Amino acid sequence: MFISSGTASNSNWNGYTLLLPAVSAGNVGQLAIDLIIASLPLVKVGYIEHESILPMVGADPYRQTSHLTTSCEVYMSEEKKLVVVQQRSPFSKKKKGDFLTQLVSWIKQKEFGKVVMLSSSHSHERLDSQLTGSQTRYISTSAAKKWHESTLSALGWTPLELRSGFPALSAVELADNALEKTLYIPGGGISKKFYELCDAADIPLVIVLTFCSEGDNVPDAQNLVRYANTWLRLLAAQVGPQSCNTIT
């Protein structure tokens, strides 16, 4: 799956943070990853090859070089102990499951300290309680809760609300505790399935997502990076307007 370009000074990523996007609503996760790559002194160390990722090639999106860019590339910072995956093209639907299985296997093999996925969800699918206040949520696997839940709670982060069903049930139905509640991430791409696989594999994964609508999603990406940065501390300065993360 991962093919090294031979430029990495260190291929031992034990304990590193893995940061990757979901191809999701408004491409917010991908835009956020672009912002992080453009803001940090990262080195391209290889690429992800899998038949599920549609092929593409283009110019270097970050710097004026003669280097080509492909569908899914991997960057690294030894100083920050960070590995970043950027996926630039969508999946072929029939092969997506095999990609996720191999991705989880690769993550286990590399023994990353934590995995963070940046994602998004359709704002028109929100619950009434989600219409105001912070428009960012997080989901963490059982392994991540052991190490990071107290920190995220101290930061005031809001976990994604579970749902008893879709369409959203009435207040009377929601009051019935016998109803099983599950994750619902409309427009979230591979987010939910990736979470389930990582949880089963005991991988410390945190998914950070924002509610958004399709359109100019650069401000959404800025807000998502700024939100994640309160925990990860990758960037020295705040990114984007500080007031945009809350809708009233």
Side-chain angles (χ1 to χ4, degrees), residues 117-134:
M117 172 173 274
L118 302 182
S119 184
S120 53
S121 182
H122 291 309
S123 60
H124 64 269
E125 298 277 10
R126 289 172 294 175
L127 298 170
D128 289 349
S129 62
Q130 296 168 334
L131 295 176
T132 60
S134 174

Side-chain angles (χ1 to χ4, degrees), residues 160-172:
L160 180 65
E161 297 85 351
L162 300 180
R163 297 197 185 191
S164 299
F166 177 79
L169 302 179
S170 68
V172 174

Side-chain angles (χ1 to χ4, degrees), residues 7-13 16 41-43 45 75-83:
T7 56
S9 57
N10 177 21
S11 59
N12 178 13
W13 295 337
Y16 276 50
L42 302 178
V43 177
V45 294
Y75 301 79
M76 184 194 80
S77 170
E78 189 169 357
E79 175 189 354
K80 294 185 176 293
K81 296 189 178 299
L82 174 70
V83 173

Side-chain angles (χ1 to χ4, degrees), residues 130-225:
Q130 296 168 334
L131 295 176
T132 60
S134 174
Q135 296 301 289
T136 312
R137 297 291 189 272
Y138 80 95
I139 313 157
S140 55
T141 59
S142 299
K145 284 183 171 68
K146 295 176 186 176
W147 301 104
H148 306 299
E149 190 69 18
S150 59
T151 301
L152 300 181
S153 296
L155 288 170
W157 283 25
T158 305
L160 180 65
E161 297 85 351
L162 300 180
R163 297 197 185 191
S164 299
F166 177 79
L169 302 179
S170 68
V172 174
E173 291 171 310
L174 288 173
D176 184 357
N177 294 327
L179 292 172
E180 182 181 358
K181 295 186 177 182
T182 61
L183 279 178
Y184 181 64
I185 315 175
I190 64 171
S191 301
K192 181 178 179 180
K193 186 62 177 178
F194 184 59
Y195 165 82
E196 293 170 346
L197 291 174
C198 285
D199 197 37
D202 201 34
I203 291 173
L205 165 72
V206 176
I207 299 177
V208 189
L209 63 88
T210 187
F211 300 119
C212 72
S213 300
E214 298 280 354
D216 179 6
N217 296 105
V218 172
D220 296 309
Q222 291 176 328
N223 291 332
L224 187 60
V225 171

